[in-house]
Each structure stands twice: as structure tokens, then as C-alpha cells.
């Protein structure tokens, strides 16, 4: 008989690409995982993994097991959650949530407050993480719900086994130092900021790609990205004290109004961002309750105008 724990290890290795990556994720040693997978191969009667350079990939037999493992583990998860709900007489259990910083503050925290009041038998565990890192953990059942963001012109990978629903759509607005010559405009053409010093998130992020693409397509120039930080509060401070220019989302600006800077809409350009909720297809009653709370928090934020 196949062991569910070993099936989970196999799925983790397949999802992470290497035994070492799976070991780091699960808190095991690589040798311990290798030993368990060797036992699983004996139980299955066929090789399950083959090495490709430094990575591993599933054999045909391994792919069959991983496909069934996803269904089996999802069934166990649903059964455990349903039992907890029956025992409590209401939605119950642990729901693990991840979100990026501004959505954590504006959507997840209000949702947690709502769940604590309406569903005391649900334990919400929340962490701040980028969506690129959260998606694999969601697929591997280490997270239950992820609030992510997708910048216009920078689409994320699509996963058929996940359900994605939009929570809100927002714009990225120019953040300028107080007294900047463009601050008196109702809308600022990006072309007027070709000589400016810019700040954006680190290379490889959706935010940085959005800034570069907007400057190229709407402004016709390559931005002088002198400063890099994934912390939007640091970006605002660089605008205020170093005279930089930034493009920041509404969620950030609504939650962190800052003295010494002004915000203006961009005249045109690919500066939109969608904030979305992603879960696995099967939502337990507890996950559904948390999703409802985050949906309501996002609706409240959409209805609230920028200060």
C-alpha cells in the first residue's frame, strides 16, 4: 500500500525541482527525503524520478503517482476540515494566507479582524510573501489562499489547478517631491520625466518591469533607475529626501500618505495593476469564509477614495 506521507514528499520534489529544495521547504535533510523516496519506489515497483543536470524530473510512473497524490491529499485535507467543522458546528480549522505588503495591510488584516469576530473556530495564519514564491506553496498545500498582484503587461504564469478571482483593480500613480515642476499638472506626461532619477523595486519584479515599460512606451525614454527597494515605504522616503520619482499603487498611497510628496495620475501608459485572490479549486468551509472576508475587505478599499 502506498504511503500518503511519501506521496507528499514525491509531489514536493516534483514541484520544487530538486531534493535539496524540497528538503529546505519541508525542514527535512536531503538524505531523509531520498531514503523515503527510495522506499516509495520499491512500493511502486518502478523508478519515479530521473536526474536532469542538477534537477530531477518525474518518470511516467512518477507522473501518475503525483497526479493521484494531488487528489488523495486534497481529499484528506477536505475530510479533516469537514470533520473540524462538524465537531465545532460551524466553519473551523486552520487557514494559511499569504499576501504582498500593501494587500496584507489593506485586505488581509481587515479580513482577519472580521473572521475573528464572525468565525472564532477558524485560525488564520498569515505571512507576507511575494506571489511568485507563494504560488508553488499554494499548489503544494502549504498555503490555502494567496493575495497576489499582476501588473499590466507583465502576466503571471497560469496554473490550471488554481482558481483566481479579481479583488480590485488599481492604478500606479506618480509620486513626486513636493515642489516638483510637474506637481501642478492634473495629469503628468511621462515624457516630461525623462531626466528624472527614478526608484523602483528590485530587478525581476513586476513593479520594476511596469516602471521600465511605462517609461519606454508612454515616455519614450529609458528611466535612470538609480535606487532599488522592494519596500514601498523606502521608495516614498527616497522621493521625499533624495528627489527621486516613483510609480506606486493606490493601495500603498492610500495606506501610507506621506508629507513632503505629491501624487499625480499618469497621462497615459501601462500602469494598471490587478490584485487577485488565488486558492485551490476545492475550498473548505473555513477557506471559503476567509475568502469571503477578503473579498469584502477589498470591496471596502475600492469604495474608499484616496486621501
Amino acid at each position: 500500500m502506498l504511503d500518503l506521507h511519501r506521496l507528499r514528499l514525491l509531489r514536493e520534489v516534483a514541484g520544487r525541482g530538486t531534493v535539496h529544495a524540497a528538503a529546505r521547504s519541508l525542514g527535512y535533510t536531503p538524505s531523509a527525503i531520498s531514503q523515503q523516496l527510495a522506499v516509495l519506489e520499491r512500493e511502486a515497483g518502478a523508478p519515479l524520478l530521473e536526474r536532469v543536470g542538477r534537477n530531477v524530473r518525474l518518470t511516467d510512473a512518477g507522473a501518475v503517482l503525483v497526479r493521484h497524490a494531488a487528489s488523495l491529499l486534497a481529499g484528506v485535507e477536505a475530510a479533516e476540515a469537514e470533520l473540524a467543522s462538524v465537531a465545532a458546528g460551524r466553519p473551523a480549522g486552520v487557514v494559511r494566507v499569504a499576501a504582498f505588503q500593501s494587500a496584507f495591510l489593506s485586505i488581509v488584516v481587515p479580513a482577519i479582524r472580521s473572521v475573528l469576530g464572525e468565525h472564532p473556530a477558524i485560525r488564520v495564519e498569515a505571512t507576507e510573501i511575494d506571489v511568485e514564491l507563494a504560488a508553488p506553496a499554494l499548489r503544494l498545500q502549504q498555503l490555502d489562499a494567496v493575495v497576489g498582484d499582476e501588473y499590466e503587461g507583465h502576466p503571471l504564469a497560469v496554473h490550471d489547478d488554481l482558481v483566481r478571482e479579481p479583488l480590485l483593480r488599481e492604478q500606479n500613480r506618480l509620486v513626486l517631491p513636493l515642489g516638483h515642476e510637474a506637481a501642478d499638472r492634473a495629469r503628468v506626461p511621462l515624457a516630461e520625466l525623462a531626466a528624472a532619477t527614478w526608484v523602483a523595486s528590485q530587478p525581476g519584479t513586476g513593479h520594476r518591469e511596469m516602471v521600465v515599460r511605462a517609461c519606454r512606451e508612454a515616455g519614450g525614454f529609458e528611466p535612470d533607475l538609480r535606487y532599488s527597494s522592494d519596500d514601498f515605504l523606502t521608495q516614498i522616503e527616497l522621493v521625499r529626501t533624495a528627489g527621486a520619482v516613483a510609480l506606486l499603487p493606490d493601495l500603498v498611497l492610500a495606506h501610507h500618505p506621506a508629507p513632503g510628496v505629491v501624487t499625480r495620475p499618469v497621462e497615459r501608459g501601462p500602469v494598471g495593476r490587478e490584485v487577485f485572490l488565488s486558492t485551490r479549486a476545492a475550498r473548505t468551509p473555513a477557506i471559503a469564509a476567509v475568502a469571503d472576508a477578503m473579498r469584502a475587505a477589498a470591496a471596502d478599499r475600492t469604495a474608499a477614495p484616496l486621501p
Side-chain angles (χ1 to χ4, degrees):
M1 181 178 293
L2 298 173
D3 181 84
L4 275 177
H5 174 65
R6 296 188 186 108
L7 288 176
R8 187 186 297 274
L9 294 181
L10 177 65
R11 190 186 62 165
E12 186 78 19
V13 171
R16 301 287 178 181
T18 69
V19 172
H20 281 77
R24 285 195 301 271
S25 172
L26 296 173
Y28 291 106
T29 64
S31 61
I33 290 184
S34 296
Q35 290 171 11
Q36 290 297 309
L37 292 182
V39 173
L40 183 60
E41 286 189 328
R42 290 197 296 270
E43 292 174 342
L48 303 176
L49 294 166
E50 58 185 3
R51 185 168 295 281
V52 180
R54 295 183 176 181
N55 297 337
V56 292
R57 69 183 176 194
L58 296 170
T59 63
D60 290 343
V64 168
L65 277 187
V66 166
R67 185 174 70 250
H68 285 285
S71 300
L72 290 169
L73 293 169
V76 170
E77 180 184 39
E80 290 174 344
E82 189 172 345
L83 284 172
S85 298
V86 169
R90 52 193 171 180
V94 177
V95 178
R96 298 152 298 181
V97 177
F100 59 95
Q101 184 187 59
S102 53
F104 197 112
L105 290 169
S106 299
I107 296 175
V108 175
V109 171
I112 291 174
R113 181 174 62 245
S114 174
V115 170
L116 287 173
E118 297 180 18
H119 303 286
I122 296 177
R123 172 189 170 96
V124 180
E125 297 178 354
T127 186
E128 182 183 318
I129 191 172
D130 289 334
V131 64
E132 289 87 353
L133 302 176
L138 178 61
R139 302 181 70 203
L140 293 167
Q141 296 178 319
Q142 294 164 345
L143 292 172
D144 300 306
V146 171
V147 180
D149 60 341
E150 182 178 81
Y151 288 90
E152 186 177 334
H154 189 74
L156 299 174
V158 175
H159 303 289
D160 293 337
D161 53 341
L162 299 180
V163 175
R164 169 173 158 171
E165 62 173 287
L167 291 176
L168 57 88
R169 183 169 180 81
E170 58 180 346
Q171 292 299 309
N172 287 271
R173 301 173 190 270
L174 280 167
V175 185
L176 305 166
L178 192 64
H180 193 283
E181 59 184 12
D184 59 350
R185 299 286 195 93
R187 289 183 175 270
V188 179
L190 280 175
E192 292 188 4
L193 301 171
T197 299
W198 288 78
V199 56
S201 297
Q202 299 288 347
T205 60
H207 178 263
R208 190 182 186 93
E209 293 297 325
M210 178 274 297
V211 171
V212 171
R213 186 166 180 259
C215 291
R216 288 173 178 172
E217 295 185 5
F221 66 92
E222 194 73 20
D224 177 11
L225 283 165
R226 194 172 304 180
Y227 310 115
S228 299
S229 174
D230 290 336
D231 187 332
F232 286 148
L233 298 185
T234 299
Q235 293 193 31
I236 292 175
E237 185 63 14
L238 283 164
V239 173
R240 188 179 72 85
T241 61
V245 173
L247 270 171
L248 294 180
D250 289 341
L251 279 183
V252 175
L253 300 175
H255 207 88
H256 299 289
V261 303
V262 293
T263 61
R264 292 291 182 269
V266 177
E267 187 175 70
R268 62 184 178 86
V271 293
R273 180 173 83 157
E274 181 180 89
V275 177
F276 61 87
L277 172 66
S278 188
T279 66
R280 291 182 296 281
R283 292 182 179 178
T284 66
I287 294 173
V290 173
D292 288 343
M294 289 196 286
R295 200 178 298 115
D300 289 344
R301 175 54 61 186
T302 302
L306 282 173

